[in-house]
């Protein structure tokens, strides 16, 4: 194939713009997370560096870059320095297929969804190598644990992507958005969005699934030996991944740049609408972070294998049936809500109701201590005002 | 990670060093782990030892009160109360009733503040970052009141042997009534956010279980003991000050796990607030200091006094030799004795549970090390 | 699930609330009236000198031994403009050691020291925590203006009040002596009034 110079230049410009969009998006997420979490907690968040603290990510970056670059003496240097890149690059490569508007895309592939799935799992390799090359017992453990978590939660995500692909009869992102012209898929399969969100949280490593590196209180995660700039790359990759989950959720479930406007808006408005939806999902992710504690690793894995994966398979079957028998779209909505009710009821029975009952029982069974009557005061007075020269203490 | 070559080489030693990302102060916990399970816990303390008991031998009684402020630096007024009661007992004076009511009001408010801090830090140990802000917001209200009454938010130096330093300001009663309503709402908010949250339940139910007889033999006290079903509370079983004139409930748990210990402290917050309300209704006018000499020069003798601190049973053993300085002040800190139960609770649990169990004991290193 | 979602509603409701933090250092929260900041030495305007005589009771009672003080003869006593025969010469508080307990204020008999409202005295110099007499008098002066401070024992400590009382007592004595037979009364009359206030001071300091 002939690649002319102008093609190469165009591609270079597109890639540069894409890199900027992704990086600026991730950086804006850093700022947005801290301000939003602050507001949830009743405080302003960063507001000193620049107006409204907008330059705070730059201050963070400068701080991280200026740290000393240490590596463990016994680590595998080449792999040690390569692992952040192995985690970081797939986070950016998946952006090649994301259409921000109908024509704002670097390369719109017919197998766009498949491309996303294939590339995104590569970062797991980087994580394992990060842990292993640090040559620290707890980094290795953390790395394997991270890998186990990420691999387990890939299955629900892939299944949800398959469901979306089935419903829109294509793996092409643009066609997926077009299929949501009237009804976004979140209304057609709400449970799929819920599973996608939960599995996406686990993929990115955010609360409540961030124990593999927040457990650095105790064990240390795969990032424990990384300092300064290398850790900044991991940090940036995490935020780019969070942004990817947001954009993917907006494209696959919230109707992309089209819904609720049937026709196409001008390009800038389309991009803005898509970004708005992506940021909304991101804010929900931050909101969850502000509310929930962390799950333990075994509880997290149990949730994946005992709940998310069976539920996603059942939902897949439901979607398959709906397509085969050509039921109207709202049948799938009802089916998915019915399926969603099952774990809610089971969790209520097994965990919430016993806890509520226990709380009520403790409040009711408390040992009651009755007040003894106070001795009559020396002088007569209205209730409450008794001048006592010496108190009667037992 | 520390390894001691002369011991067995199969189990790994995992060091949760003196510096913690979470709070709890400077405490070192060495976990002997076999894979994922904890086999033994070896606590190392002493990083915050400040020689409190030695200083108490060379300082006058008025100065020792400032030392007691700093023993358990979160429940300052409760510690002061224990010491001044010991001083009063050895000097055979009684504080006037108004002073006792003021003391109990402040001590119970300090209990609420201490439990709010526990709820916040326990939540952030487990990864929930908002309850700590909500809890500290309510604590701020209480500390504002303390500043209004005693002059300081934390190290009050307010109680004296024989009473309190100065009378409360005129707007004390309405201020505290409003405060109770606001703090109660705040505690309810933390309750709604955390107590039945499914992730929180998963991290704390069934974790760190200790049964009643073992708890008693380990020397636990306070909510940690009551979580295991033993209904021992010094305010109920060995009452002091004006506690006999109050109606209150002592919540008792059943399972002895982390959730029980956490939830009992939540219930105690509500109880303390209702106790403060009753005190406000009952508080009499009158003097706030016992008549008599102002310099404490007690007769020779010894006395032991214990009281219910937010963390458990604080004991003060005071020996006087007739001078204006104590001969010996021995403090029985509840956190120090609660730590004995740590190994029993942690054996057999996951490494990640060690953080949850240590948090649920609610230790304060100032008390453990003095 | 349900509890978690309810919890999310709780956090969401906080989005609408005002900030619970103050934007320090642009915004300083006010302190309560009884707030115990660093100690400050108080100024007797009627005699244009500090109340502090350098008696060292606070220095002895301080739990952390953070104060040093030196007294000297008060030139104003000889002039007759002050009742204090000794006055403070140097006074230093090591602010790093002061634990803001207020014991020095409790034991002072001369209304000479008070816990000011100043608590933000951090300095970049290592010796910046040594508060000398000038700084302490500044702290005291600021505190006096801020809270419209009045001494608790004005009739014992404020110079104009004490001198006026003494003058009245002397006048009464002179009037009484003028009525009585005049036999060598001069040496007795001048010394007795001066010793009495000093004796009173010691007795009050003891109890």
């Amino acid at each position: 194939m002939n690649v002319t110079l102008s093609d190469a230049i165009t591609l270079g410009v597109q890639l540069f713009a894409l890199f900027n969009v992704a990086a600026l998006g991730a950086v804006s997420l850093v700022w947005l997370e801290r301000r939003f979490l602050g507001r949830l907690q009743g405080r302003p968040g960063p507001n000193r560096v620049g107006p409204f603290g907008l330059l705070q990510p730059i201050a963070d970056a400068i701080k991280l870059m200026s740290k000393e670059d240490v590596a463990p003496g016994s680590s595998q240097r080449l792999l040690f320095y390569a692992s952040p890149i192995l985690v970081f690059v797939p986070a950016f490569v998946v952006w090649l297929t994301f259409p921000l508007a109908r024509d704002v895309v670097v390369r719109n592939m017919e197998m766009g969804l498949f491309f996303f799935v294939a590339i995104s799992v590569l970062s797991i390799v980087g994580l394992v190598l990060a842990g292993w090359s640090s040559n620290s017992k707890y980094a290795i453990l953390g790395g394997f644990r991270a890998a186990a978590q990420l691999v387990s939660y890939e299955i629900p995500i892939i299944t949800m992507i398959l469901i979306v692909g089935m419903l829109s009869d294509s793996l092409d992102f643009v066609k997926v958005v077009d299929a949501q012209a009237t009804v976004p898929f979140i209304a057609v399969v709400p449970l799929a969005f819920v599973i996608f969100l939960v599995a996406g949280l686990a993929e990115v490593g955010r609360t409540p699934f961030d124990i593999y590196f927040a457990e650095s209180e105790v064990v240390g995660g795969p990032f424990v030996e990384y300092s300064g700039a290398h850790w900044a790359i991991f940090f940036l990759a995490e935020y780019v991944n969070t942004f990817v989950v947001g954009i993917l959720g907006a494209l696959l479930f919230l109707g992309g740049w089209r819904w609720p406007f049937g026709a196409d808006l001008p390009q800038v408005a389309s991009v803005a609408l898509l970004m708005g939806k992506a940021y909304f999902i991101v804010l929900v992710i931050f909101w969850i972070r502000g509310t929930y504690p962390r799950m333990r690793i075994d509880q997290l894995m149990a949730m994946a294998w005992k709940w998310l994966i069976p539920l996603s398979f059942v939902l897949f079957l439901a979607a398959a049936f709906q397509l085969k028998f050509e039921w109207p779209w709202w049948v799938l909505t009802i089916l998915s809500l019915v399926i969603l009710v099952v774990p809610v009821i089971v969790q209520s029975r097994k965990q919430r109701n016993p806890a509520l009952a226990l709380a009520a029982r403790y409040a009711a069974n408390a040992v009651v201590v009755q007040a003894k009557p106070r001795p009559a005061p020396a002088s007569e007075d209205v209730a409450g005002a008794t001048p006592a020269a010496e108190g009667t203490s037992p | 990670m520390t390894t001691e070559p002369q011991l067995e080489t199969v189990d790994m030693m995992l060091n949760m060093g003196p510096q913690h990302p979470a709070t709890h102060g400077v405490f070192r916990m060495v976990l002997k782990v076999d894979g994922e399970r904890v086999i033994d816990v070896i606590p190392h303390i002493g990083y915050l030892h400040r020689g409190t008991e030695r200083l108490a031998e060379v300082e006058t009684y008025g100065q020792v009160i400032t030392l007691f402020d700093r023993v358990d630096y979160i429940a300052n007024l409760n510690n002061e109360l224990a010491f001044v009661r010991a001083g009063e007992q050895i000097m055979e004076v009684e504080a006037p009733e108004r002073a006792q009511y003021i003391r109990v009001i402040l001590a119970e408010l300090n209990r609420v503040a201490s439990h709010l801090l526990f709820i916040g830090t326990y939540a952030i140990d487990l990864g929930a970052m908002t309850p700590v802000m909500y809890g500290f917001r309510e604590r701020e209200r209480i500390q504002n009141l303390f500043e209004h009454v005693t002059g300081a938010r934390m190290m009050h130096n307010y109680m004296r042997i024989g009473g309190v330093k100065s009378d409360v300001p005129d707007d004390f009663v309405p201020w505290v009534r409003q405060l109770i309503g606001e703090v109660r709402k705040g505690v309810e908010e933390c309750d709604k956010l955390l107590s039945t949250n499914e992730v929180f339940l998963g991290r704390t139910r069934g974790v760190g279980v200790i049964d009643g007889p073992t708890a008693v033999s380990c020397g636990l006290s306070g909510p940690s003991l009551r979580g295991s079903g033993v209904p021992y509370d010094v305010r109920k079983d060995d009452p002091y000050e004006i506690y006999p004139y109050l109606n209150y409930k002592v919540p008792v748990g059943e399972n002895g796990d982390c959730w029980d210990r956490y939830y009992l402290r939540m219930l105690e917050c509500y109880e303390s607030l209702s106790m403060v309300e009753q005190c406000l209704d009952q508080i009499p006018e009158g003097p706030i200091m016992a008549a008599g000499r102002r310099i404490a020069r007690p007769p020779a003798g010894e006395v032991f006094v214990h009281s219910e601190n937010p963390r458990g049973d604080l004991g003060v053993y005071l020996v006087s030799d007739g001078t204006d300085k104590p001969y010996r002040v021995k403090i029985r800190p509840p956190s120090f004795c609660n730590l004995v139960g740590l190994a029993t609770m942690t054996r057999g649990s996951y490494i990640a549970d060690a953080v949850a169990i240590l948090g649920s004991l609610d230790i304060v290193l100032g008390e453990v090390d003095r | 699930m349900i509890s978690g979602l309810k919890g999310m509603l709780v956090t969401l409701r906080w989005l609408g609330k005002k900030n619970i933090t103050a934007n320090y250092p642009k915004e300083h929260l006010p302190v309560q009236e009884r707030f115990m900041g660093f100690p400050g030495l108080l100024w007797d305007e009627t005699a244009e000198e500090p109340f502090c005589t350098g008696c060292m009771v606070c220095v002895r009672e301080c739990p952390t031994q953070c104060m040093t003080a030196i007294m000297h003869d008060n030139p104003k006593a000889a002039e007759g403009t002050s009742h204090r025969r000794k006055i403070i010469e140097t006074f230093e508080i090591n602010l790093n050691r002061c634990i803001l307990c207020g014991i020095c204020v409790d034991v002072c008999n001369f209304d000479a020291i008070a816990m000011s409202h100043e608590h933000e005295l951090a300095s970049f110099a290592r010796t910046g925590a040594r508060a000398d007499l000038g700084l302490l008098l500044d702290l005291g002066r600021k505190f006096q203006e801020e809270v419209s401070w009045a001494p608790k024992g004005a009739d014992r400590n404020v110079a104009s009040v004490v001198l006026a009382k003494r003058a009245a007592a002397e006048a009464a004595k002179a009037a009484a002596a003028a009525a009585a037979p005049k036999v060598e009364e001069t040496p007795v009359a001048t010394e007795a009034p001066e010793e009495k206030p000093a004796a009173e001071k010691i007795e009050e300091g003891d109890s």
Side-chain angles (χ1 to χ4, degrees):
Chain A
M1 58 181 266
N2 282 341
V3 179
T4 62
L5 185 61
S6 65
D7 278 344
I9 293 178
T10 322
L11 188 63
V13 168
Q14 280 179 326
L15 285 175
F16 180 70
L18 183 73
F19 181 80
N20 276 334
V21 166
L24 277 175
V27 161
S28 73
L29 244 60
V30 172
W31 174 86
L32 185 66
E33 170 164 43
R34 292 175 65 172
R35 297 281 304 195
F36 187 69
L37 280 178
R39 282 273 66 239
L40 285 180
Q41 296 164 2
R43 53 187 182 85
N47 59 356
R48 306 227 22 197
V49 191
F52 299 106
L54 280 170
L55 300 180
Q56 182 71 41
I58 301 189
D60 286 343
I62 295 175
K63 179 206 81 168
L64 286 169
M65 297 296 168
S66 60
K67 288 204 174 186
E68 185 189 355
D69 189 359
V70 288
S74 51
S75 64
Q76 297 266 356
R77 286 307 161 78
L78 181 63
L79 284 175
F80 186 80
Y81 290 132
S83 307
I85 303 179
L86 281 173
V87 169
F88 183 71
V89 165
F92 276 92
V93 168
V94 292
W95 283 80
L96 285 175
T97 56
F98 285 163
L100 301 179
R102 187 175 299 279
D103 300 314
V104 182
V105 60
V106 175
R107 181 84 69 224
N108 189 19
M109 304 177 193
E110 282 163 17
M111 309 256 284
L113 288 170
F114 180 71
F115 180 80
F116 163 74
V117 167
I119 299 292
S120 69
V121 297
L122 288 180
S123 50
I124 303 177
V125 176
L127 219 53
V128 173
L129 279 179
W132 183 80
S133 63
S134 305
N135 201 17
S136 152
K137 202 166 287 189
Y138 299 108
I140 296 176
L141 275 177
F144 285 158
R145 225 172 261 165
Q149 172 183 328
L150 293 177
V151 164
S152 315
Y153 281 90
E154 281 291 341
I155 301 177
I157 278 201
I158 294 173
T159 316
M160 294 305 113
I161 290 180
L162 277 180
I163 290 179
V164 165
M166 279 191 337
L167 287 176
S168 48
D169 205 20
S170 160
L171 290 176
D172 185 349
F173 273 111
V174 176
K175 294 219 176 59
V176 165
V177 172
D178 281 336
Q180 298 177 66
T182 45
V183 184
F185 285 150
I186 191 176
V188 179
V189 261
L191 180 58
F193 180 68
V194 171
I195 294 181
F196 172 79
L197 195 62
V198 171
L201 277 176
E203 280 297 307
V204 177
R206 298 206 71 101
T207 317
F209 305 107
D210 59 349
I211 199 157
Y212 71 82
F213 62 87
E215 204 179 355
S216 61
E217 307 166 6
V218 190
V219 183
F223 310 140
V224 67
E225 303 286 354
Y226 286 90
S227 70
H230 307 285
W231 189 81
I233 299 179
F234 280 122
F235 179 71
L236 203 58
E238 179 193 330
Y239 278 94
V240 172
N241 276 329
T242 311
F243 201 30
V244 162
V245 167
I247 295 241
L248 211 56
L251 282 171
L252 297 180
F253 290 98
L254 291 185
W257 62 81
R258 272 196 75 170
W259 192 83
F261 308 102
D264 265 4
L265 301 170
Q267 248 180 22
V268 176
S270 298
V271 174
L273 184 61
L274 179 69
M275 285 300 179
K277 291 179 184 174
Y279 274 97
F280 171 72
I281 294 183
V282 161
L283 281 180
V284 169
I285 291 179
F286 293 158
W287 183 19
I288 293 176
R289 176 180 185 191
T291 312
Y292 282 84
R294 264 178 235 129
M295 293 180 100
R296 219 169 51 205
I297 188 83
D298 61 315
Q299 295 165 345
L300 191 160
M301 299 295 285
M303 190 170 106
W305 288 95
K306 288 196 213 169
W307 285 108
L308 283 188
I309 292 179
L311 276 180
S312 53
F313 287 161
V314 169
L315 192 62
F316 186 82
L317 278 178
F321 279 137
Q322 193 253 354
L323 284 174
K324 163 108 173 107
F325 296 124
E326 293 180 9
W327 293 326
W329 63 266
W330 43 265
V331 174
L332 194 52
T333 314
I334 296 172
L335 275 176
S336 62
L337 284 174
V338 164
I339 300 172
L340 177 59
V341 158
V342 171
V344 172
I345 291 182
V346 172
Q347 193 268 339
S348 290
R349 284 242 180 89
K350 272 179 56 178
Q351 217 182 21
R352 179 179 143 87
N353 293 347
L356 285 172
L358 204 60
R361 214 162 53 227
Y362 288 168
N365 291 353
V367 177
V368 177
V369 181
Q370 288 288 354
K372 291 205 201 56
R374 275 170 78 194
S379 74
E380 60 293 332
D381 235 320
V382 288
T386 44
E390 57 253 295
T392 43
S393 53
Chain B
M1 189 186 89
T2 60
T3 48
E4 282 149 312
Q6 59 268 34
L7 298 178
E8 55 266 294
T9 49
V10 174
D11 304 326
M12 292 194 303
M13 298 288 226
L14 170 62
N15 184 39
M16 285 177 68
Q19 306 103 327
H20 271 232
T23 49
H24 310 305
V26 277
F27 174 66
R28 182 171 167 224
M29 196 158 75
V30 178
L31 300 168
K32 229 158 80 160
V33 297
D34 175 19
E36 187 70 25
R37 296 278 180 180
V38 173
I39 299 187
D40 201 5
V41 173
I42 303 141
H44 295 252
I45 60 174
Y47 292 93
L48 196 50
H49 179 69
R50 295 160 292 173
T52 304
E53 296 177 353
R54 166 74 182 104
L55 281 173
E57 292 173 11
V58 296
E59 290 190 355
T60 63
Y61 283 85
Q63 295 168 332
V64 173
I65 295 177
T66 62
L67 286 174
F68 267 80
D69 263 334
R70 288 152 176 86
V71 164
D72 173 1
Y73 37 77
I74 300 178
N76 324 80
L77 289 163
N78 290 282
N79 305 349
E80 282 186 29
L81 182 58
F83 178 70
V84 298
R85 277 178 49 226
E88 282 165 14
Q89 209 168 320
I90 206 171
M91 285 193 59
E92 288 155 14
V93 297
E94 253 173 49
E97 207 177 16
R98 182 175 170 84
Q100 291 191 11
Y101 270 98
I102 295 174
R103 282 183 188 171
V104 168
I105 290 175
L106 294 178
E108 288 303 316
L109 283 175
N110 209 339
R111 187 186 310 271
V112 178
S114 167
H115 286 331
L116 282 168
L117 184 136
F118 158 76
I119 292 168
T121 54
Y122 194 47
I124 206 168
D125 274 352
L126 297 179
M129 53 172 61
T130 16
V132 70
M133 298 295 168
Y134 300 168
F136 270 71
R137 171 74 190 98
E138 304 313 317
R139 243 177 86 82
E140 194 60 34
R141 292 190 220 268
I142 298 178
Q143 284 182 320
N144 229 7
L145 170 79
F146 287 159
E147 190 183 334
H148 185 60
V149 171
T150 71
R153 288 154 50 96
M154 271 191 99
M155 307 305 174
H156 315 278
N157 190 21
Y158 181 66
M159 299 190 188
R160 299 281 184 269
I161 297 180
V164 292
K165 170 169 128 179
S166 58
D167 206 345
V168 291
D170 298 324
D171 55 353
F172 180 72
V173 174
W175 185 311
V176 177
R177 276 201 210 275
Q178 193 191 357
L179 173 77
I180 294 174
E182 292 169 349
V183 172
R184 187 175 282 134
K185 275 209 295 264
V187 176
E188 276 165 7
E189 208 169 36
C190 286
D191 201 349
K192 233 188 306 179
L193 186 51
L194 210 51
S195 298
T196 46
N197 184 306
E198 45 272 355
V199 182
F200 185 76
L201 287 173
R203 287 298 295 269
T204 50
R205 288 292 305 276
V207 169
V209 177
I210 188 169
D211 64 326
T214 320
V216 172
S217 72
C218 282
L220 294 185
S221 55
S224 308
L225 176 64
R226 292 196 280 279
S228 306
V230 181
Y232 178 72
D233 182 333
V234 184
R235 298 172 292 180
K236 166 175 75 78
D237 296 315
D238 196 1
Y240 52 97
E241 301 282 289
I242 47 97
Y243 282 108
Y245 307 138
L246 300 176
N247 280 313
Y248 57 99
K249 291 195 268 197
V250 175
V252 177
E254 288 166 18
N255 305 338
D257 58 12
C258 290
W259 191 84
D260 281 2
R261 295 189 277 273
Y262 154 83
Y263 196 67
L264 289 184
R265 291 192 177 94
M266 188 74 83
L267 287 177
E268 277 185 17
C269 287
Y270 295 121
E271 286 307 314
S272 291
L273 290 172
S274 101
M275 276 197 243
V276 173
E277 256 175 348
Q278 292 174 49
C279 287
L280 287 177
D281 293 330
Q282 295 176 12
I283 188 170
E285 298 297 326
I288 44 100
M289 193 69 182
R293 285 185 67 86
R294 296 201 66 187
I295 296 183
R297 208 182 293 269
E302 57 190 35
V303 69
F304 179 79
V305 154
H306 65 153
S307 67
E308 180 75 15
N309 258 26
R311 276 159 192 86
D313 183 346
L314 174 79
V316 176
Y317 176 61
L318 178 60
V319 178
S320 156
D321 56 353
T323 62
D324 63 343
K325 303 185 167 70
Y327 179 75
R328 173 84 170 102
V329 176
K330 159 93 179 93
I331 305 169
R332 185 259 187 216
S335 301
F336 179 76
C337 302
N338 286 353
L339 273 181
V340 177
L342 180 65
T344 318
M345 288 178 195
T346 323
R347 262 183 218 120
S349 63
Y350 292 113
I351 298 177
D353 289 332
V355 177
I357 297 172
L358 182 65
S360 76
L361 279 179
D362 193 16
I363 59 170
V364 162
L365 264 300
E367 216 175 32
V368 173
D369 296 336
R370 284 156 276 147
Chain C
M1 308 263 282
I2 304 173
S3 310
L5 292 171
K6 279 202 180 154
M8 285 179 66
L9 283 177
V10 170
T11 28
L12 189 67
R13 236 178 287 132
W14 270 69
L15 277 180
K17 296 194 190 177
K18 274 176 33 208
N19 282 339
I20 58 179
T21 54
N23 204 8
Y24 193 89
K26 283 192 218 148
E27 189 187 327
H28 290 245
L29 287 174
V31 294
Q32 302 286 341
E33 197 191 310
R34 292 191 188 184
F35 178 72
M36 297 197 288
F38 287 111
L41 289 173
L42 301 167
W43 188 256
D44 186 359
E45 273 146 7
T46 62
E48 295 292 314
E49 63 180 11
F51 277 96
C52 178
T53 60
C55 72
M56 309 269 280
V57 171
C58 59
V59 174
R60 280 197 291 273
E61 292 299 317
C62 175
T64 48
Q65 296 164 12
C66 68
M67 301 196 262
T68 47
I70 301 177
M71 66 155 79
H72 67 209
D73 290 324
N74 190 3
K76 292 199 180 168
E79 290 168 23
T81 47
S82 165
H83 68 291
R84 300 177 185 98
R85 288 194 299 160
K86 300 278 190 188
I87 197 72
I88 190 73
E89 183 186 4
T90 62
F91 198 109
E92 188 183 296
I93 298 184
N94 184 348
L95 298 179
N96 283 335
R97 288 219 184 144
C98 174
I99 58 172
L100 312 182
C101 64
I103 288 182
C104 51
V105 175
D106 291 341
V107 299
C108 179
N109 269 307
F110 298 103
D111 284 320
I113 193 170
M115 303 305 277
S116 69
H117 286 176
E118 187 61 57
H119 53 285
E120 294 160 326
L121 286 180
S123 120
F124 284 102
R126 254 193 96 173
T127 52
R130 297 176 64 174
D132 62 352
L133 185 59
L135 174 60
L136 292 170
L137 286 171
D138 283 341
L139 289 177
R141 198 188 326 264
K142 214 170 113 183
F143 176 69
Q144 281 175 279
E145 281 164 17
E146 205 179 306
V147 305
S148 313
W149 177 83
K152 286 200 196 68
D155 55 340
R156 274 183 295 118
N157 294 327
V158 177
S160 58
V161 173
V162 176
L163 291 174
K165 258 180 34 184
R166 268 192 220 166
E170 251 185 86
K173 233 186 176 47
K182 295 181 174 54
V183 193
E184 52 182 19
E185 95 244 28
T186 335
V188 177
T190 40
E191 269 154 61
E194 276 165 31
E195 275 165 309
K196 255 205 295 183
E200 276 166 19
K201 269 199 218 109
I202 297 170
E203 274 166 12
E204 277 159 20
D206 233 356
S207 59

